[in-house]
Amino acid sequence: MRDGVMQTISASGGGKHIYVDIEGSWISDRQPIKQQFWVIKQEGNEFVIADSKGIYKTGVMGQIATNRLVPKPGEAAQYQIIGVDFGEEEINPKLQQLIQPNSLIFLSGTLTIDSPEEVKLSLNPKQLQTITIVGNTIQIESCPIQWAMHKLNYQFGSGSLKVQIVSPPPKL
């Protein structure tokens, strides 16, 4: 199952959106799920996936336990990954420069911020926690850039982020 998805991702060479039909259950309440998702990225033997409602991770450390995965290559897409470093500077202006029309942008990495108490996070057990905070350190995983900018408004920080730019967006 997972091998088929990994082979489909490899075969596309980053040139197509990859969708996956999943049968399984939500880990939080064991409710069954049978739905199509878009694959944001592969993490080891698991996947970070999305639908129109949110972002999720498969596997025991994620939100969805999978029984069956069926990969489906989709429309043409371009994937680009770049790095962005912050040196005790305001975060949002630098992120704003990355925004491109007709693209989805996801951030991953670690930043040390000045005022973590001002960042308001909400928890949903059925979605991936794309931003977590421990002390002054903020960990970002597959977070849409607009959501990160909303949460980190007026924050100063230092650290590095990996930026994944996907163009055009998938059809969710």
Side-chain angles (χ1 to χ4, degrees):
M1 293 186 313
R2 282 175 176 70
D3 289 344
V5 178
M6 289 185 250
Q7 288 173 356
T8 302
I9 291 170
S10 295
S12 78
K16 290 185 181 237
H17 289 298
I18 304 297
Y19 299 91
V20 62
D21 290 333
I22 292 180
E23 291 181 25
S25 61
W26 294 103
I27 290 177
S28 62
D29 60 10
R30 306 310 287 163
Q31 290 295 310
I33 185 168
K34 185 176 183 180
Q35 183 181 328
Q36 184 174 82
F37 296 90
W38 170 63
V39 178
I40 297 173
K41 68 178 183 177
Q42 179 181 339
E43 284 191 353
N45 290 333
E46 300 300 340
F47 305 94
V48 177
I49 55 177
D51 65 8
S52 62
K53 297 176 189 156
I55 298 174
Y56 320 92
K57 188 183 279 189
T58 62
V60 295
M61 299 305 289
Q63 293 72 44
I64 299 174
T66 58
N67 297 329
R68 186 168 185 252
L69 297 117
V70 179
K72 297 189 178 193
E75 56 281 355
Q78 292 182 340
Y79 289 77
Q80 179 184 9
I81 296 178
I82 59 173
V84 178
D85 295 320
F86 296 86
E88 196 53 45
E89 60 191 295
E90 192 171 358
I91 295 168
N92 276 0
K94 209 166 196 178
L95 293 180
Q96 182 68 41
Q97 294 174 356
L98 299 171
I99 294 178
Q100 300 176 13
N102 200 31
S103 296
L104 282 180
I105 300 173
F106 298 93
L107 307 174
S108 296
T110 304
L111 297 174
T112 301
I113 59 174
D114 291 338
S115 305
E117 67 282 355
E118 294 176 6
V119 179
K120 304 298 180 217
L121 302 178
S122 57
L123 297 175
N124 181 341
K126 286 193 173 182
Q127 291 195 16
L128 177 64
Q129 188 68 29
T130 58
I131 295 179
T132 54
I133 300 172
V134 177
N136 281 14
T137 302
I138 186 164
Q139 183 68 37
I140 302 171
E141 180 184 357
S142 299
C143 184
I145 194 168
Q146 289 85 354
W147 200 74
M149 289 175 66
H150 174 72
K151 295 295 181 181
L152 300 175
N153 201 18
Y154 304 113
Q155 289 287 333
F156 283 74
S158 57
S160 298
L161 294 178
K162 182 172 75 171
V163 181
Q164 179 184 11
I165 303 167
V166 182
S167 173
K171 296 175 180 159
L172 299 176

